[in-house]
Amino acid sequence: MADVKYVFVTGGVTSSLGKGIISASLAKLLQARGYSVTIQKLDPYINVDPGTLNPYEHGECYVTLDGAETDLDLGHYERFLNVPTSQANNVTTGRIYQSVINKERKGDYLGKTVQVIPHITDEIKRRIKLVGSCDKYDIVITEIGGTVGDIESLPYIESVRQLKWELGPQNCIVIHLTLVPYLSSTGESKTKPTQHSVKELLETGIQPDVLVLRTERHLNEDIKRKVALFCNVEENAVIESVDVSTIYEVPIKMLEQGLDRIIIKKMALPVNAEPPLVEWREFLTKLKNPKHSISVGIVGKYVELPDAYKSIAESFIHSGAMNECEINIEYIHSEEITEKNVKDKLNGLNGILVAPGFGSRGIDGKIFTARYARENNIPFFGICLGMQCAVIEFARNVLKLEGAHSTEINHKTKYPVIDLMEEQKSIIDKGGTMRLGGYRCIIDRNSKTYSAYQKDEIVERHRHRYEFNNKFYDEIKNHGMSPVGINPESGLVEIIEIPDHKWYIGVQFHPEYSSTVINPHPLFVSFVKACIG
Ligand code: GLN
């Protein structure tokens, strides 16, 4: 463990500068140079995890294979690195305080006054080192959420300062990401906010080793030199991060400026050969030179904030590139879809995806959408609630079970085709109590799903409470909707499809969480193929 190196990524000036993408890009480059790397995110809010957060607040909730509900940045880490993250990779202030308070209740502090320093900072440092302690990683990159100067981030910044002192400068590197705004009236890029932000960091006792400057326009050498001089960093350690058309280009931009090399040198590690990133560049070439173009509708209720469907949108980028196809995503509000206007709303789409979700808002629009896609032979992909809507629609309109529903929406329905599992019925707490994380599923060889996966058994990630109700299994199957993926332990239906349809698949799990640049998800690849036609 002594050998593990730590890199911290902090942010200044504003939020949303893309710390997650910079962290993931650096990790990608270090990985390509032969180092084993993981990334962790520290979030300064009091929620124990983002599982209970409305997607409007913080975007999508990402789920790891081991069943943690986490920040969406972990999705970027996995998509870039092609390595799964875990529970330990996302820590919030709520979780830190929860552990400290639990220890206090057990009497572990032996009568001491429990304080932010040292008890909270000790717990933060313990969590940071925990990911590195498994002997799997050479380098741990830790992204600190929020912006330097926020009250909430102070204990995290103080923990980084202490770690730098404890582990030594070669084992602890700080990258600070800031914004250099461009003033069009004077035609200048301004460095003052960066200078102030670094001063703020210096006040907490941290001298950043590397500065990454987010900018709309290229920064000339004079500007970089000025920033280096006033912020006390080496000239080659001032890196620009200029706006690019796709986040997947950022690693290449960072490689060109030697971000990885600077970090490796500062950590006194051997600078292995420059990574050629062959597969990555191939992906970018395909992404930028599509031979086909399709429009896919994502029907959901959080469409005002596309971050709510981040992993789905990224999965389309991966699978689009693999098919050399440009995918224009149209976000369609499910609340605006009615039985009357469904045709107009979905007109011209090559394929339709009904998104995951919770609660009754917009549910009818999703059910009308599923029917429209089925009756008009339009490729349809239902994810989680999307699959449940497909089953409800089929029960109502093909089986003629009037009022069939999910008991999540109507607990008195006569035909509960989607229902709560027995184990879920006694659960009252909302945090971390769904069916979460990876579950096995056996696929019927005689299905489109099998053609996509080319595998009998898969493991996919779940995040839901309600399930396909097996009381209706035979009736649904006999009418032409086939359950083609079954959980071998519980017998739960995880995948349904309509064999007579061009491409109509619903999955109870979330394939979007496991699509990466190097391994696009097989169901998305197959769906896009069907949409191309
Ligand atoms: N609300 C549904 C359930 O809990 C679906 C959840 C989802 O789409 N993630 O089962």
Side-chain angles (χ1 to χ4, degrees), residues 356-359 383-385 388 408 463-466 508 510:
F358 294 84
I383 298 184
C384 209
L385 183 63
Q388 298 177 354
E408 178 183 9
R463 181 176 188 249
H464 56 100
R465 279 180 223 286
Y466 293 82
Q508 188 56 81
H510 292 264

Side-chain angles (χ1 to χ4, degrees), residues 267-310:
M267 293 189 298
L269 289 172
V271 184
N272 307 335
E274 170 122 354
L277 296 175
V278 178
E279 282 178 292
W280 197 271
R281 289 182 201 271
E282 268 169 22
F283 159 79
L284 281 173
T285 307
K286 283 189 180 169
L287 185 66
K288 289 182 181 170
N289 302 288
K291 296 193 177 124
H292 318 274
S293 174
I294 57 169
S295 295
V296 172
I298 295 184
V299 176
K301 67 169 172 176
Y302 305 113
V303 293
E304 301 90 335
L305 186 78
D307 260 7
Y309 302 114
K310 193 80 205 161

Side-chain angles (χ1 to χ4, degrees), residues 459-533:
V459 173
E460 292 280 6
R461 303 179 201 189
H462 292 247
R463 181 176 188 249
H464 56 100
R465 279 180 223 286
Y466 293 82
E467 307 281 353
F468 180 103
N469 185 347
N470 274 330
K471 284 186 194 137
F472 296 88
Y473 185 104
D474 290 333
E475 210 178 334
I476 288 179
K477 190 174 172 170
N478 294 340
H479 281 80
M481 177 179 266
S482 308
V484 295
I486 306 290
N487 179 310
E489 279 85 26
S490 60
L492 287 168
V493 172
E494 313 282 39
I495 310 172
I496 54 97
E497 65 177 61
I498 297 181
D500 289 344
H501 191 283
K502 197 169 178 186
W503 205 100
Y504 195 100
I505 295 180
V507 291
Q508 188 56 81
F509 48 79
H510 292 264
E512 72 275 22
Y513 293 146
S514 44
S515 183
T516 71
V517 167
I518 301 301
N519 278 319
H521 195 284
L523 283 178
F524 275 90
V525 175
S526 164
F527 175 63
V528 170
K529 233 178 229 139
C531 296
I532 296 169

